[in-house]
Every structure is written in C-alpha cells, then in structure tokens.
Amino acid sequence: MEGIVQGVGFRPFVYGLATSLGLSGLVGNDADGVFAEIEGDAAVVTRFLALLEQQAPPLARIDRITTTRIRPAGTAEFTIAASQPGGERRALVSADSATCADCLRELADPADRRYRYPFINCTNCGPRFTIVRDVPYDRPLTTMSGFPMCAQCAAEYDDPADRRFHAQPVCCPACGPRLALTDASGTELSGSAADPITAAAGLLRAGRVLAVKGLGGYHLAVDAGDEHAAATLRARKHREDKPFAVMVPDLATARELCVLDEATERLLHSSRRPIVLCRRRPEAAARIAASVAPGNSQLGLMLPYTPLHQLLLELVGRPIVATSGNSSDEPIAYQDADALSRLATIADAFLLHDRAIHIRTDDSVVRVTGGRESVLRRSRGYVPEPIRLRHGFPRPVLACGAELKSTFCLAKGSRAFLSHHIGDLENVETLLSFTSGIQHFRRLFDIDPQLVAHDLHPDYLSTKYAAELTGVQLVGVQHHHAHIASCLADNDADGPVIGVAFDGTGYGSDGTIWGGEFLIADLTGFSRAGYLEPVPMPGGAAAIRQPWRMAAAYLAAAFPEGAPDDLAVRRRNDSTWAPVTAMAARGINAPLTSSAGRLFDAAGALLGVRDVISYEGQAAIELEQLADPAERSAYPATLTDGAVLQVRGADLIRHAVGDLAAGTDRSVVAARFHNGVAGAVVAGCQALRDRHGLATVALSGGVFQNLLLAGSTADQLRGDGFTVLTHSRVPCNDGGISLGQAAVAGALDRAGRL
C-alpha cells in the first residue's frame, strides 16, 4: 500500500480490521509504505481490501494498493511486524496535523494523566514532517528519539488496540518534552517554572511581546486587541505595514471577527489549520488593534493547532497576533539558540520547549475563491504531501524555483514533492534553508535528480545553485512559461492553452523584463503571443520600491504631449520628478518592462494609495482594497492586432487621470481600472482564440492573487465560452514556479527533447 500510510495509525487500523474479520497474517512498514500478508477465505479477503480504502484512518491517503497471490503460511493469528528499512524509498511522510478532538478532550480532563500537557498527541494528530529526520517514520529517526517512553506510554505504544499504538511522538508529563519561559539569555523567568503557560499568558495580557516555539518554528505573539503591543511588535520586527496573522481560540470568535462561509469554516477547522484570509466585519475594529492589519479589509485567521497554542489561547481569553518569528526578510527562527539570539531585540520573553524542530516550516496561507480552496503559501499542514501528476517523470527532477517566495520541487515517478515556503533568496540564511531543504527531501524520498530545472535569470541564487551542480542535465525554463505550466499541473492538464501570466518581474527569453504576458503554451514550450506595451522602469529596482516612479513613466506614455502639471502624485514627489522622467525618456538606468505588477503600481501611486512600499505588491493590494466592487464600468485599452498583440496599459492611466480631474471618487476610478485590465485580458484572449482556435485559458502569476481582477477576468472569460484554469493546490505566485519548472522538464524528457 503506497501513499500517506506511515505515522497515521495505518498498521493498527489494518490489524484491527483483519482481526475483526477473522483473518490471519501480518502488517508492517517498509520503504514503499505498508505491506501486509493476509490469509483467509477469498470473499473475506476481498471485503478486507474494500474496507481498507473505505475506512482508512483520518490522516491516511492511499495512492495505490498492489496485490499478489502467495502461498499461505498457515499462521493462526494476525501480527504487526517490525519495520523493514532498505531498498528504494517510496513511502510518504505525512504533514503535521492539528490536535484531534480525542486529544483535546483528554487535554481538558482533570482526571486524565495528560491533563493540560502541551505535547499531547496520538496517531491521528501531532507533529510529523517537522520532526522527521529520516524514513521509515519510526521514533528513533525523529527528534523524539531523545525522550525514552515511560512504562505507561510504552504500553500504549505497544498495544494495537490503543489510539497511540506506534504514534511516534507519544509522550506524557513523565517522559516527554517540557516547557520553559525564559528571557533572551535562556534563563528561566522567576516564578514561571510551575506553570510556564499561565505565566506566558499573563505577559501577553500585560502587553508584552512573546516568542512561542510552535511546530515548525517560532511565532511572535501579542494581544491582538492591544494597539500599543501590536505597534511595538511592528516596530521591533521592522515590519511597517504587512498584515499580521491572528490566532483565535475557536470558530465562534472567528465568526465574530469575519464573514465566514461553510468552505472557509471547513478550512479553518481542518487538520491542516492554515491561515485563512477572511473578510473582516466592521465591528472587528473594536476587538482587533489597528496596527494588526492596517488599512486591510481582510484578516488572516487561524485556529490553535498544537495543545500549547490551545492552552495559551484559553488562558489569554482573546485573539492573539501569531506572526513568523523573524525580523523582516529573514527566514523563521526554529532552533532555540538561533531564536534566542535573533529575536532578543523583539521578544520580551520566550516560551520554548526541548523537542527539537528538524526542519523549519512556516504557516500556510489560503483563502476561498469561488467556493474552493486556493493556496497562497503552501507550507505547514500541506508539505510534504506530493502532488500527483497524470504523467510520470522518466528521470528524477529537481526544480529550483525562482527568487521570491522560494520553493523547490523534487519529482520522481508520478509524484512532485513541492517544498515548504522558504522565503526570498536574498540572504545567506535563506539560501542555507533552501539548500539544506533540498538535501532533506532528497534523503526522505530517495530522489537523486538527473535533470535540474531552473529560471533563466542568471543572477537568481536558485539559478546559480543549479549551475554549480555536477553530473546533472540543466533545463532552463522561462519564468512565465513556468507559471502557466504550474497552472496546467495544478489542474492536471497538458495544454495547449492561452496562458495569461501577469506578475511583477520575470526574465524574458529576449533578456528584457516581462510580466504582462499572453502565451500560447503547453508543457513542452510556448510562444509569446501578446504582452502589455513596455514602459521604462526609472531607476530599475528602485521603481519597484517606489511606485510613484512607475506612475511617472506611465504618465509620460499616456500623455506624449505632456501630462497635466497639477497631479497630486507629481506634487508629492516634485523634487525628484524631473530627473526621474528624464531618466525614463533617455533610457538611462530605465529598463523596459511589460509587467502588469508595475502597471498596478502606477495606478496605485496615481490614486494616492502608495508612493513607496514596505513589502512586495503593497500598492496593488491597497488599490484593490480601495476599489468599489459595485462599479461595473471599465476603462478601455487599445489592443494592437499585429503579429504579436500589444495591450496599451497607458490608456488605462490616461482615463484614470481624466476621471480624477472630473472629481470622480477614487474608489470608482480604482474599480474602473481593475475592470479595464480584466477587459483587456478578455479582449486579448478573444483575439488569440480567433488566431489559434484555443478556448482554454490558464491564469497565473502573482497579480492574479487580486480577487477583484481574477474574479472579473474569469467570469467574463467563462461568459464568453472559455474554459478557465486557475490555481488551487499550489500558489499562483512564485511559490508555484518550481512545480511548473518540474512539469516542463518532465514533459520535455517524455518527448525526447532533452
């Protein structure tokens, strides 16, 4: 049996099922997953095989059951055999899972020996991926190896009828990990030894910043209703505006803060326990400090997913901020010494424990779009579960991903193992996380890549990493082709499709900066069929950090006769406006770009949303927040119908200027701009359908995280008879790039083109 069948109570389930049916034989773990030898009446064995899939444990996922007839051994009973290491590893490692209902009941029961024990777990819940050092998934190969079981835990562990049979992290207060509340030197705080959680909750209620060791790393926590505490955390973390996630004690509290539908509630309460982006209620302002998610109509909510979080939230009695334990642009801290050092200037105290985290894993971020889950950051709770593809990989593949929102992907057989979120590959610490993560996945899943796919950008650290590998064949994959291939893989499709890849930056096959692309693409290749008309990026990367520069460039393109002098964006940046526009006009340090992200930046600055950003995509995100969703009219954009289509984004800016001059409300202008971009996408797809006879469109790239744009575009396309593919299982942003690269490499290999 292959799939997620180790560490999820599958062997005791098989044992119980077989014995209940009067069958004899054995079951055990091996490199493939779980093996079983079953003896008994043929009809009963057939029923056993059917019930295997129908009644599997909650965390199990069976990908394949292979059966072979063997000579009966004549055994009289059913037993659980020892694990069989060795051979090529095909067994899967399950993701970390939130505390199950049974463990929560025990946690709250004063008569239970694990009452209020913050590391309670069983075969249906608890740490998995973050504590695994190697496979097969057995206790000696996890970070629980240093905690010998007491007699009572050992009895549960060895009893096939017990819920904790072979639950590798099983422990109790007598033999398991322990908490401590310390200062940055690691010294236990006075009076906290008897009950560190109660003392930590008291600090949160008093407005202090607390570092909390979770499953995959440290959180930084404050009382979410305390403005001073939230602002203090924001200042210390050097995170100016980007929203914080909020952990709430239960669904009832979540409903009080945000508008939830059934699908959103299922996600919040699922065993994966991701951060779920939800539309906040107006009355939430009375309970959530303004500094938690400044100017944002959404809140990122999550429920407690460890017993430690559960106990802490119960004692605090209100929502808390639970943001990644790092300073801006650094990877999350997960090792105790590193956390005490790096977070010393941020946290007032540390709630930590002595169970090591083997691999750091950030919280996942998802939302509901059109009634289905859409993953924006795929990490804890999802990784390392593979994404199965319809076609196999002839040779093992490593895909190195992009630079921002970095992930990697290892693929073998029909499985693609997309990594946890690593972060932006812009410092040594993140690069080390990237390289060590690749080695860990290679070891866990026994993948020795022969093909290595990478982005075309020569300066990406992921590209340089690929180039330094020896004994492999390199496969360069254009950034936006990888986006579309990722969307195809996400939807189990091959193409060809009209691929619309809208993002901030990507290295084009002509060496220029792409980002507003219409491609005719399948998994093996693409042609550039259209793009947003390029404009200069005055100052290069400075134009990304300062959207007003893009406004200046787009205004020059929109008004070749000269833009109006009385624009607010020009007045706000008057001292540097002339040299920047001159730089753009002369093409000095002003590379051309077709980026849709830069077009949104220009509109955001023009409407006074954001002249300078503190995190990626901020101007576009806040522009979406500003837009009136009830507005239906759209600005037109000229579509040049040449050999390659060009959409004149400057037309949208020109119309926006006209509306602003006429006194039109900014929210209406923002909505008309969004609708205009959606209309331009539809017009481009219609023209390409006429040329190429394709009626399927794949939408990918970080710009399509914009719900207003993505929803309007998809609705219009479907209304015009198109089939629309969007992302669900993997992010549409650069976090999904590595899957697309792997899919391209595999397709080229199958086609004999490598």
Side-chain angles (χ1 to χ4, degrees):
M1 286 156 281
E2 297 179 42
I4 299 174
V5 290
Q6 291 189 9
V8 293
F10 202 83
R11 285 177 299 168
F13 158 67
V14 172
Y15 173 90
L17 178 60
T19 53
S20 70
L21 294 174
L23 298 169
S24 60
L26 57 86
V27 62
N29 282 343
D30 63 10
D32 290 329
V34 169
F35 67 93
E37 295 179 8
I38 308 296
E39 294 185 39
D41 180 81
V44 180
V45 171
T46 299
R47 176 165 172 74
F48 167 83
L49 291 172
L51 292 175
L52 270 181
E53 298 193 68
Q54 295 172 15
Q55 299 180 1
L59 300 183
R61 194 187 75 195
I62 301 174
D63 289 341
R64 181 170 64 179
I65 298 177
T66 303
T67 61
T68 304
R69 291 184 178 275
I70 60 175
R71 184 181 298 276
T75 56
E77 58 183 5
F78 197 90
T79 60
I80 295 178
S83 296
Q84 296 185 1
E88 183 184 358
R89 299 169 185 164
R90 290 184 291 272
L92 300 181
V93 176
S94 60
D96 301 273
S97 181
T99 315
C100 70
D102 289 330
C103 284
L104 287 176
R105 279 193 291 272
E106 293 175 349
L107 187 71
D109 182 2
D112 193 278
R113 71 188 187 93
R114 293 186 176 90
Y115 173 58
R116 298 192 75 244
Y117 181 56
F119 305 99
I120 190 172
N121 68 86
C122 70
T123 54
N124 297 325
C125 68
R128 297 291 192 273
F129 172 61
T130 51
I131 65 169
V132 172
R133 293 187 286 109
D134 210 337
V135 290
Y137 174 64
D138 285 324
R139 192 180 184 101
L141 297 178
T142 74
T143 61
M144 286 296 295
S145 61
F147 298 94
M149 286 180 281
C150 66
Q152 286 180 285
C153 285
E156 294 169 334
Y157 183 88
D158 292 329
D159 181 0
D162 195 280
R163 196 175 88 250
R164 293 187 170 88
F165 176 73
H166 282 209
Q168 306 307 334
V170 67
C171 56
C172 73
C175 64
R178 286 175 166 76
L179 281 178
L181 184 66
T182 77
D183 61 19
S185 71
T187 303
E188 203 161 24
L189 295 186
S190 176
S192 68
D195 193 348
I197 300 180
T198 297
L203 291 176
L204 288 174
R205 288 196 303 270
R208 309 295 288 277
V209 178
L210 183 69
V212 182
K213 186 177 180 181
L215 279 181
Y218 278 77
H219 283 129
L220 290 166
V222 295
D223 180 349
D226 186 329
E227 173 59 28
H228 181 265
T232 298
L233 173 58
R234 193 169 286 286
R236 292 181 184 176
K237 189 174 160 71
H238 304 296
R239 184 164 167 166
E240 295 178 24
D241 302 294
K242 194 173 183 180
F244 290 141
V246 175
M247 184 177 283
V248 294
D250 47 42
L251 274 176
T253 305
R255 294 184 190 111
E256 292 170 358
L257 297 176
C258 292
V259 178
L260 307 181
D261 58 19
E262 184 178 343
T264 302
E265 291 195 5
R266 277 199 308 271
L267 273 175
L268 278 167
H269 204 256
S270 71
S271 63
R272 300 185 190 276
R273 287 292 201 279
I275 298 169
V276 185
L277 300 185
C278 310
R279 181 163 57 90
R280 76 160 90 189
R281 296 182 182 277
E283 53 269 32
R287 300 185 59 183
I288 301 297
S291 290
V292 169
N296 202 305
S297 64
Q298 294 185 321
L299 284 176
L301 298 183
M302 62 176 159
L303 294 178
Y305 54 84
T306 71
L308 171 56
H309 291 119
Q310 182 74 30
L311 293 168
L312 187 62
L313 265 290
E314 287 175 0
L315 289 168
V316 174
R318 45 188 179 262
I320 64 170
V321 164
T323 189
S324 297
N326 57 9
S327 187
S328 287
D329 301 324
E330 292 181 351
I332 185 174
Y334 73 108
Q335 295 175 326
D336 298 339
D338 179 55
L340 291 168
S341 172
R342 282 206 284 139
L343 306 181
T345 58
I346 303 175
D348 296 309
F350 293 76
L351 184 60
L352 46 77
H353 56 78
D354 54 356
R355 183 182 69 205
I357 298 169
H358 186 68
I359 193 160
R360 74 177 106 218
T361 312
D362 278 280
D363 294 318
S364 295
V365 181
V366 306
R367 69 183 178 201
V368 173
T369 306
R372 72 170 185 164
E373 177 183 16
S374 178
V375 176
L376 301 179
R377 185 169 77 189
R378 188 177 184 271
S379 206
R380 180 193 50 76
Y382 293 80
V383 175
E385 294 178 7
I387 296 167
R388 292 188 67 89
L389 303 182
R390 63 160 60 184
H391 303 296
F393 291 85
R395 289 182 283 175
V397 174
L398 165 64
C400 296
E403 187 88 335
L404 303 181
K405 297 178 173 63
S406 171
T407 62
F408 60 83
C409 183
L410 280 157
K412 182 175 72 170
S414 61
R415 295 169 173 168
F417 295 91
L418 184 64
S419 79
H420 50 296
H421 168 80
I422 292 169
D424 298 346
L425 291 182
E426 296 178 333
N427 56 57
V428 172
E429 184 72 20
T430 312
L431 180 61
L432 288 174
S433 181
F434 172 79
T435 57
S436 64
I438 290 173
Q439 293 306 313
H440 186 54
F441 270 59
R442 288 183 60 174
R443 184 170 59 252
L444 281 188
F445 305 115
D446 205 8
I447 298 177
D448 187 15
Q450 298 176 33
L451 302 178
V452 175
H454 61 85
D455 196 273
L456 297 182
H457 200 301
D459 293 331
Y460 279 2
L461 292 181
S462 56
T463 302
K464 292 180 178 180
Y465 171 83
E468 292 172 357
L469 298 176
T470 59
V472 297
Q473 184 175 353
L474 298 182
V475 183
V477 182
Q478 197 280 323
H479 189 92
H480 300 93
H481 182 211
H483 268 308
I484 300 306
S486 176
C487 188
L488 290 173
D490 199 349
N491 288 275
D492 206 19
D494 295 332
V497 296
I498 300 168
V500 183
F502 276 18
D503 64 1
T505 299
Y507 192 83
S509 53
D510 61 359
T512 65
I513 302 173
W514 292 8
E517 310 307 310
F518 293 82
L519 310 179
I520 302 301
D522 59 18
L523 291 177
T524 61
F526 75 98
S527 61
R528 193 186 193 195
Y531 50 88
L532 291 179
E533 185 177 87
V535 297
M537 288 176 60
I544 299 174
R545 299 187 297 269
Q546 301 174 21
W548 71 266
R549 291 172 177 258
M550 290 310 306
Y554 262 105
L555 285 166
F559 296 94
E561 72 281 6
D565 292 332
D566 60 344
L567 294 173
V569 65
R570 180 169 182 167
R571 292 196 301 271
R572 292 194 303 270
N573 300 281
D574 185 63
S575 62
T576 48
W577 189 270
V580 164
T581 53
M583 182 189 304
R586 295 171 186 165
I588 300 172
N589 191 23
L592 292 175
T593 182
S594 60
S595 167
R598 304 290 79 80
L599 173 59
F600 273 82
D601 284 350
L606 177 67
L607 270 66
V609 168
R610 183 68 53 177
D611 283 350
V612 178
I613 64 169
S614 62
Y615 63 90
E616 185 198 10
Q618 184 178 9
I621 291 168
E622 294 179 356
L623 182 67
E624 180 189 5
Q625 302 280 331
L626 174 64
D628 180 358
E631 177 63 30
R632 293 290 176 263
S633 58
Y635 296 139
T638 302
L639 181 66
T640 303
D641 193 10
V644 178
L645 303 178
Q646 284 196 48
V647 175
R648 186 169 167 77
D651 288 351
L652 305 177
I653 298 299
R654 187 179 183 102
H655 286 291
V657 169
D659 266 357
L660 289 173
T664 305
D665 191 272
R666 291 189 312 136
S667 65
V668 173
V669 176
R672 290 175 179 172
F673 171 81
H674 277 81
N675 296 339
V677 175
V681 171
V682 173
C685 291
Q686 289 169 336
L688 294 175
R689 176 174 58 185
D690 293 342
R691 289 186 182 186
H692 300 278
L694 297 174
T696 300
V697 177
L699 303 178
S700 191
V703 169
F704 285 111
Q705 291 179 146
N706 184 314
L707 281 177
L708 183 58
L709 173 68
S712 176
T713 303
D715 288 347
Q716 290 183 58
L717 287 169
R718 293 187 182 107
D720 196 41
F722 285 96
T723 297
V724 182
L725 305 181
T726 58
H727 286 266
S728 175
R729 296 182 294 171
V730 300
C732 66
N733 58 44
D734 281 8
I737 283 281
S738 62
L739 176 65
Q741 292 172 342
V744 169
L748 290 171
D749 205 20
R750 288 192 301 274
R753 291 169 55 181
L754 293 177

